[in-house]
């Protein structure tokens, strides 16, 4: 069985894990801050060297990266947290340094793979995964295949268009799902309501995060509950398109906002019930939380490494 080095490059942390002989338990894992001495790619190279298994070869290196990228060419087009990388050929660079086949994948796509192979999606070959946090990432498995599309850009459910003249989205366009449902968008909605005179326990804070808002919702704050339910309703609109397009058997939600649980999931379920064109789409459809947490990207990178090369 193969030995895989999985790399997860986030905005704050680079993590590298060695998975030996097909085992899903890493034998070695190292973390380093994304920013610091040297370039980001130098820091990735150093962390890979540090994690390299003492005995034995590495069969593949697989890197989970934020932002749109082309997995076939190993090129990352852009990433909000890594502004120095524009059309950057990170895959070929790493492959050349170590002489080991190197694959790259979008972090949300790889998290979808991880949840499918090791997490909440085990046994489901038609699966949609979403990470709802500051932004919204997503990955689709259809008929047992990760959908990547022509240039590797498929599966961006967070940027489904809901309202052409809606709020600004982080991608620069307007009215996309993310502009209604991300952690940032939920906070923005609550702040607007407070500025219009709505009462809320959050109004006493100088500033507040999506996590603060979730806590307030849990404690019964009406505005916070409304803000989460509203996000759930808009996510539900997006899920109507997802079930009509892919007819999945499970929808898996990860990321901080998903920790609102049924407060977020119930409006998704209700919207689906109201809006699908045939009830068969939601017959036995599971809506659930992700189970791999921060390790989803690494485990997904491992899972991709174990798949036959395409
Ligand atoms: Zn967008």
């Amino acid at each position: 069985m193969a030995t895989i080095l999985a790399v997860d490059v986030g905005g704050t942390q680079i993590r590298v894990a060695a998975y030996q002989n097909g085992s899903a338990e890493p034998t070695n894992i190292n973390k380093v801050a994304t920013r610091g001495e040297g370039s980001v790619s130098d820091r990735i190279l150093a962390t890979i060297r540090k994690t390299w298994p003492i005995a034995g070869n590495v069969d593949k290196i697989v890197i989970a990266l934020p932002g749109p990228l082309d997995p076939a060419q190993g090129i990352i087009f852009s990433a909000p947290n890594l502004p120095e990388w524009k059309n950057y050929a990170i895959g070929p660079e790493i492959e050349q340094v170590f002489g080991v086949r190197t694959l790259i994948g979008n972090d949300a796509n790889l998290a979808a793979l991880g949840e499918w192979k090791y997490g909440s999606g085990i046994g489901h070959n038609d699966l949609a995964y979403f990470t709802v946090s500051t932004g919204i990432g997503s990955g689709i498995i259809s008929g047992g295949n990760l959908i990547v599309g022509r240039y590797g850009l498929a599966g961006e459910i967070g940027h489904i268009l809901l309202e052409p003249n809606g709020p600004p989205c982080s991608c620069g366009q307007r009215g996309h799902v993310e502009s209604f449902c991300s952690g940032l968008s939920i906070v923005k909605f609550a702040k607007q309501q407070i500025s219009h005179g709505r009462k809320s326990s959050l109004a006493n804070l100088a500033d507040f995060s999506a996590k603060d808002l979730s806590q307030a919702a849990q404690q019964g704050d009406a505005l916070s509950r409304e803000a989460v339910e509203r996000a759930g309703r808009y996510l539900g609109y997006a899920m109507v398109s997802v079930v009509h397009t892919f007819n999945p058997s499970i929808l898996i939600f990860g990321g901080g906002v998903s920790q609102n649980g049924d407060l977020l999931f119930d409006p998704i379920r209700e919207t689906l019930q109201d809006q699908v064109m045939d009830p068969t789409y939601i017959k036995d459809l599971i809506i659930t939380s992700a189970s791999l947490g921060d390790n989803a990207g690494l485990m997904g990178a491992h899972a991709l490494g174990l798949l036959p090369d395409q």
Side-chain angles (χ1 to χ4, degrees):
M1 288 290 275
T3 289
I4 313 283
L5 274 189
V7 184
D8 190 3
V9 182
T12 53
Q13 224 177 35
I14 297 163
R15 299 190 300 157
V16 183
Y19 294 93
Q20 290 184 269
N21 307 316
S23 168
E25 285 298 319
T27 48
N28 190 4
I29 182 160
N30 286 294
K31 301 168 189 178
V32 66
T34 306
R35 307 265 155 223
E37 221 175 287
S39 68
V40 174
S41 64
D42 285 344
R43 296 172 74 74
I44 294 172
L45 291 171
T47 314
I48 289 176
R49 285 196 187 95
K50 198 173 159 190
T51 315
W52 203 272
I54 296 161
N57 289 327
V58 169
D59 296 282
K60 275 181 208 165
I61 299 170
V62 186
I63 312 174
L65 295 162
L69 53 82
D70 181 347
Q73 308 282 336
I75 293 171
I76 180 164
F77 297 124
S78 64
N81 290 324
L82 302 165
E84 62 270 60
W85 283 4
K86 286 267 178 281
N87 300 319
Y88 190 75
I90 181 70
E93 178 182 328
I94 304 272
E95 184 159 318
Q96 202 175 29
V97 170
F98 294 104
V100 168
R101 174 102 173 105
T102 299
L103 308 175
I104 69 169
N106 173 276
D107 49 10
N109 280 348
L110 294 186
L113 270 184
E115 290 289 342
W116 177 39
K117 291 291 182 187
Y118 306 113
S120 299
I122 291 175
H124 292 268
N125 283 331
D126 293 281
L127 166 163
Y129 165 84
F130 310 90
T131 175
V132 190
S133 57
T134 313
I136 297 182
S138 55
I140 308 284
I141 313 274
S142 183
N145 291 302
L146 177 68
I147 303 294
V148 293
R150 184 180 180 192
Y151 293 119
L153 302 174
E156 290 290 353
I157 305 303
H159 301 275
I160 283 181
L161 178 61
L162 294 180
E163 280 187 26
N165 298 312
C169 186
S170 67
C171 70
Q173 302 292 350
R174 277 182 176 274
H176 292 173
V177 174
E178 187 172 300
S179 72
F180 294 98
C181 311
S182 69
L184 284 178
S185 307
I186 295 172
V187 166
K188 194 170 142 195
F189 170 78
K191 283 182 176 170
Q192 275 168 354
Q193 294 295 307
I194 289 169
S195 77
H196 293 152
R198 282 286 299 275
K199 298 260 181 297
S200 166
S201 60
L202 296 169
N204 306 322
L205 304 173
D207 196 8
F208 58 87
S209 65
K211 201 174 171 182
D212 298 326
L213 188 145
S214 296
Q215 268 167 8
Q218 246 173 28
Q219 289 157 5
D221 181 63
L223 174 61
S224 299
R225 292 181 70 84
E226 184 189 318
V228 174
E229 283 167 350
R230 174 181 179 270
R233 212 163 54 244
Y234 279 100
L235 263 181
Y237 298 149
M239 293 309 113
V240 172
S241 296
V242 168
V243 302
H244 285 156
T245 310
F246 300 105
N247 186 198
S249 56
I250 186 167
L251 307 174
I252 302 172
F253 292 88
V257 174
S258 72
Q259 286 169 12
N260 286 290
D262 284 340
L263 188 60
L264 184 77
F265 297 161
D266 282 345
I268 295 176
R269 292 187 182 105
E270 282 158 23
T271 306
L272 280 167
Q273 269 160 20
D274 291 346
Q275 303 285 340
V276 287
M277 66 169 171
D278 187 289
T280 314
Y281 283 103
I282 51 173
K283 185 170 165 265
D284 305 325
L285 176 70
I286 298 168
I287 296 177
T288 192
S289 301
S291 51
L292 300 180
D294 287 347
N295 288 330
L298 283 176
M299 297 197 74
H302 176 231
L304 181 66
L306 291 179
L307 289 177
D309 248 355
Q310 292 167 358

